[in-house]
Amino acid sequence: MAAASDTSTTVFRALADPTRRAVLEHLSRAPASVGELAQPFDMALPSFMQHLKVLEASGLVRSRKTGRVRTYRIAPAPLRDAEDWLARQRSVWERRLDQFDAYVTALQEDRP
Amino acid sequence: MAAASDTSTTVFRALADPTRRAVLEHLSRAPASVGELAQPFDMALPSFMQHLKVLEASGLVRSRKTGRVRTYRIAPAPLRDAEDWLARQRSVWERRLDQFDAYVTALQEDRP
DNA sequence: ACTATAGTTAGGTCAATACCTAAGTATAAG
DNA sequence: CTTATACTTAGGTATTGACCTAACTATAGT
């Protein structure tokens, strides 16, 4: 199959978990250490760190260790890629749907 | 953890696979039957159908059987939700990044 | 030096995912 | 009525994902 490691795949995969999305939301407000990020979650630290690794492998975040503290921060580029993919797809099919609006509406109505 | 079945989770999960994204691209151009959708892929039909099930469970597509042919088509709403989540996050952190641009640039430069 | 803190590594369990083959059902075509 | 087509169901394997506990390393504080 297509090498399951292209950007879209790893980014969407990273986003497909509520814990990881919550981490991103936290980081979108401010950089934070592992401990700060982990604190809201009822999860063993090693388990939580796997999520951080997935996020970092996807390129959505970056980290840096200073002394014994590792600080994470957001990296916007890959997210923009994912968003672009979605926007592109959606624009194509919404143009289509406009043309066939009545037809689609009818279809949706018989699936209540 | 958060019920792993909220909309964002299932939508991102559905998008986290190249086969499924290719199916969505196909469907964004036109509705299609199972056979038409499967044809480009070197995969047993039952395996392929699992992908269609994941897509339909996520709400990204809908299907309808007429005679012995099941036709799939795109359903735009959930995609828009995912896109909104991304856009919202990104706008928050890009505002932040503007403020700290020099700092972030410096950080990125020592990770070549 | 000693102890606490912050994170890391090792290794194990359990469930879910992504595949497969083989055999079935329902409709259409001859 | 018979056969081909279009999907569906059943059931099996192998890998990956999400979690855990226990034990370790490195730095900071006393």
Side-chain angles (χ1 to χ4, degrees), chain A residues 1 6 9 21 25 29 63-64 73 76 79-80 83 85-86 90 94 96 103 107 110-111, chain B residues 6 9 21 25 29 43 63-64 73 79-80 83 85-86 90 94 96 103 107 110-111:
Chain A
M1 211 82 312
D6 60 293
T9 296
R21 286 198 306 280
E25 289 184 19
R29 295 192 296 278
S63 75
R64 220 199 188 177
R73 63 184 69 245
L79 227 289
R80 197 147 35 205
E83 200 184 337
W85 189 92
L86 292 180
R90 192 166 60 81
E94 286 195 339
R96 245 195 66 79
Y103 179 74
L107 175 77
D110 61 51
R111 296 208 138 213
Chain B
D6 59 293
T9 296
R21 285 198 307 280
E25 290 183 19
R29 295 192 295 276
M43 192 185 293
S63 75
R64 218 198 189 177
R73 62 184 70 245
L79 227 291
R80 197 149 33 208
E83 201 184 338
W85 189 92
L86 292 179
R90 194 166 60 81
E94 286 196 339
R96 244 197 65 79
Y103 180 74
L107 176 77
D110 60 53
R111 295 207 139 215

mmCIF file of all heavy atoms in Angstrom, chain A residues 1 6 9 21 25 29 63-64 73 76 79-80 83 85-86 90 94 96 103 107 110-111, chain B residues 6 9 21 25 29 43 63-64 73 79-80 83 85-86 90 94 96 103 107 110-111:
data_model
loop_
_atom_site.group_PDB
_atom_site.id
_atom_site.type_symbol
_atom_site.label_atom_id
_atom_site.label_comp_id
_atom_site.label_asym_id
_atom_site.label_seq_id
_atom_site.Cartn_x
_atom_site.Cartn_y
_atom_site.Cartn_z
ATOM 1 N N MET A 1 0.844 -1.210 0.000
ATOM 2 C CA MET A 1 0.000 0.000 0.000
ATOM 3 C C MET A 1 0.863 1.237 0.000
ATOM 4 O O MET A 1 2.063 1.175 0.221
ATOM 5 C CB MET A 1 -0.860 -0.019 1.264
ATOM 6 C CG MET A 1 -2.203 0.637 1.157
ATOM 7 S SD MET A 1 -3.486 -0.396 0.413
ATOM 8 C CE MET A 1 -2.758 -1.073 -1.066
ATOM 9 N N ASP A 6 3.462 9.216 4.602
ATOM 10 C CA ASP A 6 3.476 10.550 4.026
ATOM 11 C C ASP A 6 2.915 11.533 5.044
ATOM 12 O O ASP A 6 2.323 11.151 6.039
ATOM 13 C CB ASP A 6 2.677 10.575 2.716
ATOM 14 C CG ASP A 6 1.243 10.192 2.928
ATOM 15 O OD1 ASP A 6 0.987 9.020 3.259
ATOM 16 O OD2 ASP A 6 0.368 11.065 2.788
ATOM 17 N N THR A 9 -0.849 11.412 6.111
ATOM 18 C CA THR A 9 -1.193 10.247 6.928
ATOM 19 C C THR A 9 -0.745 10.429 8.370
ATOM 20 O O THR A 9 -1.536 10.226 9.303
ATOM 21 C CB THR A 9 -0.559 8.976 6.334
ATOM 22 O OG1 THR A 9 -1.123 8.752 5.041
ATOM 23 C CG2 THR A 9 -0.815 7.770 7.222
ATOM 24 N N ARG A 21 -5.092 15.837 20.587
ATOM 25 C CA ARG A 21 -5.682 17.127 20.212
ATOM 26 C C ARG A 21 -5.696 18.082 21.397
ATOM 27 O O ARG A 21 -5.435 19.281 21.242
ATOM 28 C CB ARG A 21 -7.097 16.931 19.652
ATOM 29 C CG ARG A 21 -7.108 16.347 18.243
ATOM 30 C CD ARG A 21 -8.451 16.557 17.545
ATOM 31 N NE ARG A 21 -9.580 16.071 18.318
ATOM 32 C CZ ARG A 21 -9.940 14.791 18.387
ATOM 33 N NH1 ARG A 21 -9.281 13.868 17.714
ATOM 34 N NH2 ARG A 21 -10.975 14.442 19.120
ATOM 35 N N GLU A 25 -4.096 21.754 21.694
ATOM 36 C CA GLU A 25 -4.812 22.959 22.129
ATOM 37 C C GLU A 25 -4.040 23.669 23.233
ATOM 38 O O GLU A 25 -3.919 24.894 23.231
ATOM 39 C CB GLU A 25 -6.231 22.583 22.589
ATOM 40 C CG GLU A 25 -7.109 22.182 21.410
ATOM 41 C CD GLU A 25 -8.557 21.887 21.804
ATOM 42 O OE1 GLU A 25 -8.993 22.306 22.883
ATOM 43 O OE2 GLU A 25 -9.255 21.217 21.001
ATOM 44 N N ARG A 29 -1.779 27.580 23.006
ATOM 45 C CA ARG A 29 -1.806 28.759 23.889
ATOM 46 C C ARG A 29 -0.409 29.138 24.365
ATOM 47 O O ARG A 29 -0.076 30.316 24.422
ATOM 48 C CB ARG A 29 -2.730 28.488 25.078
ATOM 49 C CG ARG A 29 -4.194 28.305 24.661
ATOM 50 C CD ARG A 29 -5.126 28.330 25.847
ATOM 51 N NE ARG A 29 -4.899 27.221 26.764
ATOM 52 C CZ ARG A 29 -5.386 25.989 26.612
ATOM 53 N NH1 ARG A 29 -6.145 25.698 25.568
ATOM 54 N NH2 ARG A 29 -5.122 25.051 27.479
ATOM 55 N N SER A 63 10.346 19.800 20.252
ATOM 56 C CA SER A 63 10.714 19.881 21.656
ATOM 57 C C SER A 63 12.199 20.130 21.783
ATOM 58 O O SER A 63 12.970 19.941 20.837
ATOM 59 C CB SER A 63 10.354 18.586 22.368
ATOM 60 O OG SER A 63 11.282 17.571 22.028
ATOM 61 N N ARG A 64 12.572 20.503 22.986
ATOM 62 C CA ARG A 64 13.935 20.875 23.279
ATOM 63 C C ARG A 64 14.156 20.667 24.748
ATOM 64 O O ARG A 64 13.323 21.065 25.560
ATOM 65 C CB ARG A 64 14.035 22.372 23.009
ATOM 66 C CG ARG A 64 15.295 22.745 22.369
ATOM 67 C CD ARG A 64 15.438 24.205 22.594
ATOM 68 N NE ARG A 64 16.569 24.680 21.827
ATOM 69 C CZ ARG A 64 16.911 25.943 21.782
ATOM 70 N NH1 ARG A 64 16.180 26.840 22.406
ATOM 71 N NH2 ARG A 64 17.977 26.298 21.109
ATOM 72 N N ARG A 73 6.659 22.809 21.870
ATOM 73 C CA ARG A 73 5.925 23.920 21.268
ATOM 74 C C ARG A 73 5.362 23.475 19.921
ATOM 75 O O ARG A 73 5.823 22.522 19.309
ATOM 76 C CB ARG A 73 6.814 25.154 21.143
ATOM 77 C CG ARG A 73 8.015 24.980 20.243
ATOM 78 C CD ARG A 73 8.908 26.224 20.259
ATOM 79 N NE ARG A 73 9.582 26.425 21.542
ATOM 80 C CZ ARG A 73 9.351 27.470 22.360
ATOM 81 N NH1 ARG A 73 8.475 28.391 22.005
ATOM 82 N NH2 ARG A 73 9.991 27.594 23.500
ATOM 83 N N PRO A 76 3.669 24.989 13.072
ATOM 84 C CA PRO A 76 2.444 25.157 12.288
ATOM 85 C C PRO A 76 2.435 24.532 10.904
ATOM 86 O O PRO A 76 1.368 24.196 10.396
ATOM 87 C CB PRO A 76 2.299 26.674 12.177
ATOM 88 C CG PRO A 76 3.605 27.258 12.555
ATOM 89 C CD PRO A 76 4.415 26.230 13.262
ATOM 90 N N LEU A 79 0.340 21.218 9.968
ATOM 91 C CA LEU A 79 -1.087 21.434 10.154
ATOM 92 C C LEU A 79 -1.671 22.141 8.944
ATOM 93 O O LEU A 79 -2.753 21.806 8.470
ATOM 94 C CB LEU A 79 -1.296 22.310 11.384
ATOM 95 C CG LEU A 79 -2.335 21.840 12.355
ATOM 96 C CD1 LEU A 79 -3.713 22.017 11.765
ATOM 97 C CD2 LEU A 79 -2.134 20.368 12.690
ATOM 98 N N ARG A 80 -0.902 23.083 8.467
ATOM 99 C CA ARG A 80 -1.390 23.815 7.310
ATOM 100 C C ARG A 80 -1.549 22.864 6.119
ATOM 101 O O ARG A 80 -2.495 22.968 5.345
ATOM 102 C CB ARG A 80 -0.418 24.953 6.987
ATOM 103 C CG ARG A 80 -1.016 26.002 6.090
ATOM 104 C CD ARG A 80 -0.466 27.379 6.424
ATOM 105 N NE ARG A 80 0.939 27.258 6.820
ATOM 106 C CZ ARG A 80 1.564 28.134 7.596
ATOM 107 N NH1 ARG A 80 0.930 29.171 8.080
ATOM 108 N NH2 ARG A 80 2.837 27.958 7.895
ATOM 109 N N GLU A 83 -4.757 21.004 6.610
ATOM 110 C CA GLU A 83 -5.870 21.907 6.367
ATOM 111 C C GLU A 83 -6.038 22.144 4.863
ATOM 112 O O GLU A 83 -7.156 22.182 4.360
ATOM 113 C CB GLU A 83 -5.581 23.216 7.091
ATOM 114 C CG GLU A 83 -6.820 24.054 7.344
ATOM 115 C CD GLU A 83 -6.443 25.387 7.972
ATOM 116 O OE1 GLU A 83 -5.352 25.481 8.585
ATOM 117 O OE2 GLU A 83 -7.240 26.332 7.827
ATOM 118 N N TRP A 85 -5.254 20.120 2.437
ATOM 119 C CA TRP A 85 -5.841 18.937 1.802
ATOM 120 C C TRP A 85 -7.352 18.977 1.961
ATOM 121 O O TRP A 85 -8.103 18.795 1.002
ATOM 122 C CB TRP A 85 -5.273 17.658 2.412
ATOM 123 C CG TRP A 85 -5.682 16.423 1.655
ATOM 124 C CD1 TRP A 85 -4.993 15.827 0.628
ATOM 125 C CD2 TRP A 85 -6.869 15.649 1.840
ATOM 126 N NE1 TRP A 85 -5.694 14.741 0.173
ATOM 127 C CE2 TRP A 85 -6.831 14.600 0.884
ATOM 128 C CE3 TRP A 85 -7.962 15.729 2.696
ATOM 129 C CZ2 TRP A 85 -7.844 13.645 0.787
ATOM 130 C CZ3 TRP A 85 -8.974 14.790 2.597
ATOM 131 C CH2 TRP A 85 -8.908 13.757 1.654
ATOM 132 N N LEU A 86 -7.792 19.236 3.187
ATOM 133 C CA LEU A 86 -9.230 19.288 3.444
ATOM 134 C C LEU A 86 -9.903 20.381 2.614
ATOM 135 O O LEU A 86 -10.934 20.151 1.977
ATOM 136 C CB LEU A 86 -9.488 19.591 4.922
ATOM 137 C CG LEU A 86 -9.099 18.525 5.921
ATOM 138 C CD1 LEU A 86 -9.419 19.005 7.327
ATOM 139 C CD2 LEU A 86 -9.863 17.248 5.632
ATOM 140 N N ARG A 90 -12.728 19.769 -0.152
ATOM 141 C CA ARG A 90 -14.052 20.289 0.095
ATOM 142 C C ARG A 90 -14.474 21.254 -1.014
ATOM 143 O O ARG A 90 -15.619 21.240 -1.469
ATOM 144 C CB ARG A 90 -14.097 20.985 1.447
ATOM 145 C CG ARG A 90 -15.503 21.293 1.895
ATOM 146 C CD ARG A 90 -15.527 21.648 3.356
ATOM 147 N NE ARG A 90 -14.712 22.804 3.637
ATOM 148 C CZ ARG A 90 -15.122 24.060 3.439
ATOM 149 N NH1 ARG A 90 -16.325 24.288 2.964
ATOM 150 N NH2 ARG A 90 -14.334 25.054 3.722
ATOM 151 N N GLU A 94 -17.813 20.680 -3.059
ATOM 152 C CA GLU A 94 -18.911 21.619 -2.821
ATOM 153 C C GLU A 94 -19.332 22.296 -4.117
ATOM 154 O O GLU A 94 -20.506 22.579 -4.315
ATOM 155 C CB GLU A 94 -18.541 22.631 -1.744
ATOM 156 C CG GLU A 94 -18.561 21.966 -0.380
ATOM 157 C CD GLU A 94 -18.564 22.948 0.768
ATOM 158 O OE1 GLU A 94 -18.153 24.101 0.566
ATOM 159 O OE2 GLU A 94 -18.978 22.539 1.872
ATOM 160 N N ARG A 96 -19.292 20.769 -6.901
ATOM 161 C CA ARG A 96 -20.138 19.731 -7.468
ATOM 162 C C ARG A 96 -21.521 19.708 -6.844
ATOM 163 O O ARG A 96 -22.535 19.594 -7.522
ATOM 164 C CB ARG A 96 -19.482 18.371 -7.246
ATOM 165 C CG ARG A 96 -19.058 17.655 -8.499
ATOM 166 C CD ARG A 96 -18.788 16.209 -8.167
ATOM 167 N NE ARG A 96 -20.028 15.544 -7.766
ATOM 168 C CZ ARG A 96 -20.933 15.121 -8.625
ATOM 169 N NH1 ARG A 96 -20.771 15.267 -9.908
ATOM 170 N NH2 ARG A 96 -22.030 14.533 -8.168
ATOM 171 N N TYR A 103 -30.720 17.225 -6.208
ATOM 172 C CA TYR A 103 -30.578 15.774 -6.216
ATOM 173 C C TYR A 103 -30.085 15.273 -4.861
ATOM 174 O O TYR A 103 -30.651 14.356 -4.266
ATOM 175 C CB TYR A 103 -29.594 15.378 -7.317
ATOM 176 C CG TYR A 103 -29.351 13.898 -7.406
ATOM 177 C CD1 TYR A 103 -30.333 13.064 -7.949
ATOM 178 C CD2 TYR A 103 -28.175 13.340 -6.938
ATOM 179 C CE1 TYR A 103 -30.125 11.706 -8.027
ATOM 180 C CE2 TYR A 103 -27.958 11.983 -7.009
ATOM 181 C CZ TYR A 103 -28.932 11.166 -7.551
ATOM 182 O OH TYR A 103 -28.727 9.816 -7.629
ATOM 183 N N LEU A 107 -31.757 12.916 -1.851
ATOM 184 C CA LEU A 107 -31.111 11.715 -1.334
ATOM 185 C C LEU A 107 -31.042 11.752 0.181
ATOM 186 O O LEU A 107 -31.360 10.778 0.861
ATOM 187 C CB LEU A 107 -29.699 11.597 -1.901
ATOM 188 C CG LEU A 107 -28.889 10.439 -1.331
ATOM 189 C CD1 LEU A 107 -29.327 9.134 -1.954
ATOM 190 C CD2 LEU A 107 -27.401 10.644 -1.529
ATOM 191 N N ASP A 110 -34.265 10.893 2.263
ATOM 192 C CA ASP A 110 -34.738 9.554 2.562
ATOM 193 C C ASP A 110 -33.781 8.756 3.445
ATOM 194 O O ASP A 110 -33.817 7.534 3.445
ATOM 195 C CB ASP A 110 -35.108 8.796 1.286
ATOM 196 C CG ASP A 110 -33.925 8.635 0.367
ATOM 197 O OD1 ASP A 110 -32.867 8.179 0.825
ATOM 198 O OD2 ASP A 110 -34.061 8.976 -0.802
ATOM 199 N N ARG A 111 -32.927 9.474 4.170
ATOM 200 C CA ARG A 111 -32.124 8.831 5.225
ATOM 201 C C ARG A 111 -32.246 9.657 6.503
ATOM 202 O O ARG A 111 -31.336 10.376 6.862
ATOM 203 C CB ARG A 111 -30.651 8.788 4.812
ATOM 204 C CG ARG A 111 -30.373 7.945 3.598
ATOM 205 C CD ARG A 111 -28.966 7.435 3.689
ATOM 206 N NE ARG A 111 -28.897 6.050 3.298
ATOM 207 C CZ ARG A 111 -28.033 5.205 3.836
ATOM 208 N NH1 ARG A 111 -27.222 5.574 4.808
ATOM 209 N NH2 ARG A 111 -27.986 3.961 3.440
ATOM 210 N N ASP B 6 -16.007 10.635 19.325
ATOM 211 C CA ASP B 6 -16.558 11.925 18.944
ATOM 212 C C ASP B 6 -16.258 12.166 17.461
ATOM 213 O O ASP B 6 -15.450 11.464 16.851
ATOM 214 C CB ASP B 6 -16.005 13.041 19.825
ATOM 215 C CG ASP B 6 -14.500 13.136 19.734
ATOM 216 O OD1 ASP B 6 -13.834 12.189 20.201
ATOM 217 O OD2 ASP B 6 -14.009 14.121 19.176
ATOM 218 N N THR B 9 -12.573 12.714 16.235
ATOM 219 C CA THR B 9 -11.753 11.507 16.294
ATOM 220 C C THR B 9 -12.050 10.578 15.121
ATOM 221 O O THR B 9 -11.128 10.128 14.431
ATOM 222 C CB THR B 9 -11.986 10.772 17.628
ATOM 223 O OG1 THR B 9 -11.541 11.622 18.686
ATOM 224 C CG2 THR B 9 -11.207 9.469 17.672
ATOM 225 N N ARG B 21 -8.323 8.300 1.763
ATOM 226 C CA ARG B 21 -8.263 9.647 1.191
ATOM 227 C C ARG B 21 -8.430 9.578 -0.322
ATOM 228 O O ARG B 21 -9.106 10.421 -0.923
ATOM 229 C CB ARG B 21 -6.951 10.339 1.561
ATOM 230 C CG ARG B 21 -6.915 10.824 3.002
ATOM 231 C CD ARG B 21 -5.820 11.871 3.235
ATOM 232 N NE ARG B 21 -4.509 11.427 2.801
ATOM 233 C CZ ARG B 21 -3.705 10.613 3.495
ATOM 234 N NH1 ARG B 21 -4.078 10.161 4.678
ATOM 235 N NH2 ARG B 21 -2.529 10.269 3.026
ATOM 236 N N GLU B 25 -11.147 11.403 -2.657
ATOM 237 C CA GLU B 25 -10.839 12.223 -3.833
ATOM 238 C C GLU B 25 -11.662 11.770 -5.037
ATOM 239 O O GLU B 25 -12.189 12.586 -5.788
ATOM 240 C CB GLU B 25 -9.333 12.178 -4.146
ATOM 241 C CG GLU B 25 -8.523 12.922 -3.091
ATOM 242 C CD GLU B 25 -7.018 12.972 -3.384
ATOM 243 O OE1 GLU B 25 -6.616 12.757 -4.540
ATOM 244 O OE2 GLU B 25 -6.260 13.226 -2.427
ATOM 245 N N ARG B 29 -15.128 13.881 -7.006
ATOM 246 C CA ARG B 29 -15.394 14.174 -8.414
ATOM 247 C C ARG B 29 -16.763 13.661 -8.841
ATOM 248 O O ARG B 29 -17.465 14.338 -9.589
ATOM 249 C CB ARG B 29 -14.298 13.561 -9.293
ATOM 250 C CG ARG B 29 -12.923 14.196 -9.029
ATOM 251 C CD ARG B 29 -11.915 13.789 -10.095
ATOM 252 N NE ARG B 29 -11.635 12.356 -10.076
ATOM 253 C CZ ARG B 29 -10.746 11.780 -9.254
ATOM 254 N NH1 ARG B 29 -10.068 12.499 -8.382
ATOM 255 N NH2 ARG B 29 -10.544 10.486 -9.291
ATOM 256 N N MET B 43 -6.190 -4.839 -3.887
ATOM 257 C CA MET B 43 -6.626 -5.259 -2.555
ATOM 258 C C MET B 43 -7.865 -6.122 -2.710
ATOM 259 O O MET B 43 -8.682 -5.854 -3.596
ATOM 260 C CB MET B 43 -6.983 -3.992 -1.764
ATOM 261 C CG MET B 43 -7.191 -4.189 -0.286
ATOM 262 S SD MET B 43 -7.736 -2.662 0.526
ATOM 263 C CE MET B 43 -6.277 -1.648 0.358
ATOM 264 N N SER B 63 -24.073 5.936 1.481
ATOM 265 C CA SER B 63 -24.249 4.997 0.392
ATOM 266 C C SER B 63 -25.706 4.573 0.317
ATOM 267 O O SER B 63 -26.489 4.771 1.249
ATOM 268 C CB SER B 63 -23.379 3.772 0.608
ATOM 269 O OG SER B 63 -23.931 2.954 1.616
ATOM 270 N N ARG B 64 -25.987 3.976 -0.795
ATOM 271 C CA ARG B 64 -27.356 3.581 -1.084
ATOM 272 C C ARG B 64 -27.322 2.429 -2.066
ATOM 273 O O ARG B 64 -26.594 2.485 -3.058
ATOM 274 C CB ARG B 64 -27.991 4.761 -1.792
ATOM 275 C CG ARG B 64 -29.383 4.968 -1.413
ATOM 276 C CD ARG B 64 -29.979 5.821 -2.472
ATOM 277 N NE ARG B 64 -31.294 6.236 -2.072
ATOM 278 C CZ ARG B 64 -32.037 7.044 -2.780
ATOM 279 N NH1 ARG B 64 -31.545 7.576 -3.885
ATOM 280 N NH2 ARG B 64 -33.243 7.335 -2.382
ATOM 281 N N ARG B 73 -21.469 8.316 -2.092
ATOM 282 C CA ARG B 73 -21.243 9.723 -2.403
ATOM 283 C C ARG B 73 -20.751 10.447 -1.165
ATOM 284 O O ARG B 73 -20.934 9.993 -0.047
ATOM 285 C CB ARG B 73 -22.499 10.370 -2.977
ATOM 286 C CG ARG B 73 -23.688 10.390 -2.050
ATOM 287 C CD ARG B 73 -24.936 10.971 -2.733
ATOM 288 N NE ARG B 73 -25.465 10.081 -3.757
ATOM 289 C CZ ARG B 73 -25.504 10.373 -5.068
ATOM 290 N NH1 ARG B 73 -25.063 11.550 -5.481
ATOM 291 N NH2 ARG B 73 -25.994 9.521 -5.933
ATOM 292 N N LEU B 79 -16.549 16.784 7.267
ATOM 293 C CA LEU B 79 -15.278 17.317 6.794
ATOM 294 C C LEU B 79 -15.126 18.763 7.216
ATOM 295 O O LEU B 79 -14.065 19.201 7.640
ATOM 296 C CB LEU B 79 -15.232 17.216 5.277
ATOM 297 C CG LEU B 79 -13.979 16.660 4.682
ATOM 298 C CD1 LEU B 79 -12.839 17.633 4.867
ATOM 299 C CD2 LEU B 79 -13.608 15.347 5.367
ATOM 300 N N ARG B 80 -16.213 19.452 7.104
ATOM 301 C CA ARG B 80 -16.163 20.864 7.473
ATOM 302 C C ARG B 80 -15.842 20.987 8.962
ATOM 303 O O ARG B 80 -15.092 21.872 9.365
ATOM 304 C CB ARG B 80 -17.492 21.533 7.133
ATOM 305 C CG ARG B 80 -17.403 23.036 7.092
ATOM 306 C CD ARG B 80 -18.376 23.616 6.085
ATOM 307 N NE ARG B 80 -19.575 22.791 6.013
ATOM 308 C CZ ARG B 80 -20.339 22.684 4.935
ATOM 309 N NH1 ARG B 80 -20.031 23.337 3.842
ATOM 310 N NH2 ARG B 80 -21.413 21.933 4.954
ATOM 311 N N GLU B 83 -12.169 20.485 9.349
ATOM 312 C CA GLU B 83 -11.466 21.654 8.831
ATOM 313 C C GLU B 83 -11.585 22.813 9.821
ATOM 314 O O GLU B 83 -10.618 23.542 10.063
ATOM 315 C CB GLU B 83 -12.093 22.032 7.489
ATOM 316 C CG GLU B 83 -11.197 22.876 6.621
ATOM 317 C CD GLU B 83 -11.918 23.293 5.344
ATOM 318 O OE1 GLU B 83 -12.892 22.600 4.958
ATOM 319 O OE2 GLU B 83 -11.523 24.316 4.761
ATOM 320 N N TRP B 85 -11.915 22.646 13.041
ATOM 321 C CA TRP B 85 -11.048 22.420 14.204
ATOM 322 C C TRP B 85 -9.629 22.862 13.859
ATOM 323 O O TRP B 85 -9.002 23.602 14.614
ATOM 324 C CB TRP B 85 -11.067 20.944 14.612
ATOM 325 C CG TRP B 85 -10.363 20.698 15.914
ATOM 326 C CD1 TRP B 85 -10.935 20.678 17.160
ATOM 327 C CD2 TRP B 85 -8.971 20.435 16.103
ATOM 328 N NE1 TRP B 85 -9.957 20.442 18.099
ATOM 329 C CE2 TRP B 85 -8.752 20.287 17.502
ATOM 330 C CE3 TRP B 85 -7.872 20.321 15.245
ATOM 331 C CZ2 TRP B 85 -7.493 20.026 18.039
ATOM 332 C CZ3 TRP B 85 -6.618 20.065 15.787
ATOM 333 C CH2 TRP B 85 -6.438 19.911 17.167
ATOM 334 N N LEU B 86 -9.167 22.424 12.710
ATOM 335 C CA LEU B 86 -7.821 22.784 12.291
ATOM 336 C C LEU B 86 -7.656 24.299 12.164
ATOM 337 O O LEU B 86 -6.701 24.884 12.667
ATOM 338 C CB LEU B 86 -7.504 22.153 10.925
ATOM 339 C CG LEU B 86 -7.369 20.646 10.878
ATOM 340 C CD1 LEU B 86 -7.079 20.207 9.452
ATOM 341 C CD2 LEU B 86 -6.250 20.203 11.800
ATOM 342 N N ARG B 90 -5.162 26.581 14.339
ATOM 343 C CA ARG B 90 -4.079 27.247 13.652
ATOM 344 C C ARG B 90 -4.160 28.750 13.855
ATOM 345 O O ARG B 90 -3.143 29.418 14.066
ATOM 346 C CB ARG B 90 -4.105 26.906 12.165
ATOM 347 C CG ARG B 90 -2.829 27.294 11.441
ATOM 348 C CD ARG B 90 -2.768 26.649 10.094
ATOM 349 N NE ARG B 90 -3.893 27.041 9.271
ATOM 350 C CZ ARG B 90 -3.943 28.185 8.600
ATOM 351 N NH1 ARG B 90 -2.952 29.040 8.659
ATOM 352 N NH2 ARG B 90 -4.992 28.460 7.871
ATOM 353 N N GLU B 94 -1.113 30.763 15.375
ATOM 354 C CA GLU B 94 -0.377 31.646 14.484
ATOM 355 C C GLU B 94 -0.389 33.075 15.002
ATOM 356 O O GLU B 94 0.580 33.804 14.842
ATOM 357 C CB GLU B 94 -0.922 31.562 13.063
ATOM 358 C CG GLU B 94 -0.490 30.254 12.424
ATOM 359 C CD GLU B 94 -0.650 30.242 10.920
ATOM 360 O OE1 GLU B 94 -1.441 31.039 10.394
ATOM 361 O OE2 GLU B 94 0.038 29.419 10.275
ATOM 362 N N ARG B 96 -0.253 33.729 18.087
ATOM 363 C CA ARG B 96 0.826 33.645 19.066
ATOM 364 C C ARG B 96 2.190 33.695 18.393
ATOM 365 O O ARG B 96 3.091 34.381 18.859
ATOM 366 C CB ARG B 96 0.702 32.319 19.803
ATOM 367 C CG ARG B 96 0.412 32.449 21.280
ATOM 368 C CD ARG B 96 0.731 31.140 21.975
ATOM 369 N NE ARG B 96 2.152 30.859 21.900
ATOM 370 C CZ ARG B 96 3.044 31.427 22.678
ATOM 371 N NH1 ARG B 96 2.697 32.298 23.587
ATOM 372 N NH2 ARG B 96 4.324 31.121 22.544
ATOM 373 N N TYR B 103 11.769 34.537 18.154
ATOM 374 C CA TYR B 103 12.120 33.455 19.067
ATOM 375 C C TYR B 103 11.950 32.093 18.390
ATOM 376 O O TYR B 103 12.843 31.252 18.401
ATOM 377 C CB TYR B 103 11.240 33.543 20.308
ATOM 378 C CG TYR B 103 11.528 32.479 21.317
ATOM 379 C CD1 TYR B 103 12.683 32.534 22.097
ATOM 380 C CD2 TYR B 103 10.655 31.403 21.494
ATOM 381 C CE1 TYR B 103 12.965 31.554 23.023
ATOM 382 C CE2 TYR B 103 10.933 30.421 22.418
ATOM 383 C CZ TYR B 103 12.084 30.493 23.189
ATOM 384 O OH TYR B 103 12.357 29.513 24.100
ATOM 385 N N LEU B 107 14.584 29.078 17.291
ATOM 386 C CA LEU B 107 14.426 27.684 17.713
ATOM 387 C C LEU B 107 14.492 26.756 16.520
ATOM 388 O O LEU B 107 15.179 25.733 16.530
ATOM 389 C CB LEU B 107 13.078 27.497 18.420
ATOM 390 C CG LEU B 107 12.783 26.059 18.798
ATOM 391 C CD1 LEU B 107 13.574 25.661 20.041
ATOM 392 C CD2 LEU B 107 11.301 25.837 19.051
ATOM 393 N N ASP B 110 18.031 25.913 14.979
ATOM 394 C CA ASP B 110 18.965 24.934 15.519
ATOM 395 C C ASP B 110 18.431 23.502 15.472
ATOM 396 O O ASP B 110 18.865 22.655 16.219
ATOM 397 C CB ASP B 110 19.429 25.315 16.931
ATOM 398 C CG ASP B 110 18.294 25.402 17.904
ATOM 399 O OD1 ASP B 110 17.515 24.425 18.010
ATOM 400 O OD2 ASP B 110 18.160 26.430 18.561
ATOM 401 N N ARG B 111 17.448 23.290 14.575
ATOM 402 C CA ARG B 111 17.023 21.905 14.270
ATOM 403 C C ARG B 111 16.989 21.740 12.767
ATOM 404 O O ARG B 111 15.915 21.759 12.177
ATOM 405 C CB ARG B 111 15.631 21.623 14.841
ATOM 406 C CG ARG B 111 15.566 21.666 16.345
ATOM 407 C CD ARG B 111 14.438 20.764 16.784
ATOM 408 N NE ARG B 111 14.820 19.996 17.946
ATOM 409 C CZ ARG B 111 14.434 18.746 18.171
ATOM 410 N NH1 ARG B 111 13.683 18.122 17.283
ATOM 411 N NH2 ARG B 111 14.800 18.115 19.249
#
